[in-house]
């Protein structure tokens, strides 16, 4: 590692010394990336961030994740980063390095989740769910067990699909997909299907699957990348293998 043209040697040395102190204390620095895939404008983003962080008091917390406290702001508007927004370096590396979902994987139902939405509604089994979608902090696979129940709430209802087709294809599991990568595996509980006559959509109850051979094939350590959809394909529900 060497100092760059726009970073004085003294500042570079101070940074390296701080990192060494953190590691000597038994910790490992976690790198956050505010934006990636940019050109020369990255210097302006860096400068604005430094100005902001220099103007507010940062309180230490064990639960700090990218955008985990966005709800505390009165103005939640963000730039349309299209998947290039703030994230930890480890999660970015894992996402780009996710292996392809293999064609030999048993038939599963793929549900593509969009960003988190606050919406109170009745779910299968007469329970209520407060919201649905995919939270940004769930990109951290190391915490998957802690958010499995909430992620299950998001995939279990309400979808435009035919129960008869799912059963004909012998599908027993549903997979949560976000940004083209599998994020969670769930077993569809038999005889738990429900139909909402008003919306014409269906739902079911699920149990999370966090280990085992099928889990390793479908999700694994960092998720698996699904085949890219054709241009204009906005479908939320898909079947795997895609030829089904």
């Amino acid at each position: 590692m060497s100092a760059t043209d726009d970073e004085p040697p003294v500042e570079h040395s101070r940074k390296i010394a701080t990192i060494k102190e953190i590691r000597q204390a038994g910790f490992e620095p976690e790198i956050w990336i505010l934006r990636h895939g940019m050109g020369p404008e990255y210097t302006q983003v860096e400068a604005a961030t430094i100005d902001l962080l220099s103007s507010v008091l940062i309180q230490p917390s064990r639960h700090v994740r990218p955008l985990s406290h966005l709800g505390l702001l009165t103005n939640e508007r963000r730039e349309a980063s299209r998947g290039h927004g703030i994230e930890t370096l480890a999660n970015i590396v894992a996402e780009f390095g996710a292996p392809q979902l293999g064609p030999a994987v048993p038939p599963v139902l793929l549900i593509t989740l969009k960003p988190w939405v606050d919406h109170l509604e009745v779910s299968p089994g007469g329970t209520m769910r407060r919201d649905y979608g995919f939270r940004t902090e769930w990109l951290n696979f190391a915490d998957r067990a802690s958010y499995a129940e909430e992620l299950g709430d998001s995939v279990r209802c309400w979808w435009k699909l035919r129960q008869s087709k799912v059963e004909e294809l012998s599908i027993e599991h549903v997979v949560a997909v976000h940004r083209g990568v599998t994020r969670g595996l769930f077993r569809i509980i038999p005889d738990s299907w429900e139909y909402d006559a008003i919306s014409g959509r269906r739902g079911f109850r699920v149990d999370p699957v966090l280990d085992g051979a099928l889990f390793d094939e479908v999700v694994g350590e960092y998720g698996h990348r699904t085949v890219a959809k054709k241009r204009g394909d906005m479908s939320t529900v898909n079947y795997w293998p895609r030829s089904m």
Side-chain angles (χ1 to χ4, degrees):
M1 185 182 294
S2 60
T4 59
D5 293 339
D6 57 354
E7 182 181 49
V10 173
E11 174 60 23
H12 181 76
S13 298
R14 188 186 66 81
K15 182 189 303 181
I16 298 302
T18 301
I19 293 175
K20 288 182 178 179
E21 289 177 3
I22 293 173
R23 287 175 171 163
Q24 288 172 356
F27 300 99
E28 184 64 26
E30 183 177 67
I31 302 173
W32 291 20
I33 306 297
L34 292 180
R35 286 291 184 276
H36 56 95
M38 297 187 303
E41 67 273 19
Y42 84 90
T43 55
Q44 296 300 318
V45 174
E46 180 183 37
T49 303
I50 291 174
D51 286 348
L52 175 62
L53 294 178
S54 299
S55 305
V56 298
L57 177 63
I58 305 298
Q59 296 289 350
S61 171
R62 293 183 179 181
H63 306 290
V64 173
R65 304 296 308 170
L67 302 179
S68 59
H69 300 298
L70 184 62
L72 299 178
L73 301 180
T74 55
N75 182 356
E76 297 185 8
R77 184 178 182 276
R78 298 181 60 228
E79 176 190 351
S81 55
R82 294 181 173 83
H84 295 272
I86 184 171
E87 189 47 73
T88 63
L89 178 60
N91 287 346
I92 292 176
V93 171
E95 184 164 315
F96 278 96
Q100 291 289 331
L101 186 61
V105 168
V108 293
L109 186 65
L110 302 179
I111 302 292
T112 298
L113 299 179
K114 296 179 180 179
W116 195 252
V117 173
D118 293 323
H119 181 68
L120 182 67
E121 64 180 356
V122 179
S123 301
T127 59
M128 299 293 294
R129 70 174 182 183
R130 297 175 302 168
D131 26 41
Y132 61 89
F134 193 88
R135 292 182 183 273
T136 303
E137 56 264 36
W138 292 349
L139 291 171
N140 182 27
F141 275 89
D143 299 333
R144 72 181 77 196
S146 65
Y147 59 74
E149 185 175 345
E150 283 188 278
L151 185 57
D153 271 348
S154 290
V155 300
R156 65 192 181 114
C157 61
W158 295 98
W159 313 113
K160 284 281 188 180
L161 54 78
R162 290 187 293 113
Q163 179 181 350
S164 58
K165 180 174 181 178
V166 173
E167 294 173 343
E168 288 170 7
L169 295 173
S170 300
I171 291 177
E172 299 178 354
H173 294 82
V174 58
V175 180
V177 178
H178 182 67
R179 296 201 324 215
V181 176
T182 60
R183 308 291 178 174
L185 175 67
F186 301 86
R187 182 182 71 89
I188 299 174
I189 298 177
D191 302 322
S192 69
W193 285 80
E194 293 186 17
Y195 176 69
D196 180 40
I198 297 178
S199 66
R201 299 173 184 270
R202 287 179 167 80
F204 38 77
R205 289 182 287 117
V206 299
D207 283 329
V209 178
L210 299 174
D211 53 33
L214 183 60
F215 175 84
D216 292 338
E217 285 186 85
V218 177
V219 182
E221 187 175 5
Y222 296 117
H224 284 67
R225 186 166 297 281
T226 61
V227 175
K229 296 180 182 180
K230 295 181 180 179
R231 187 171 184 177
D233 182 1
M234 303 297 290
S235 58
T236 299
V237 178
N238 287 279
Y239 300 90
W240 188 269
R242 283 288 173 85
S243 59
M244 297 170 64

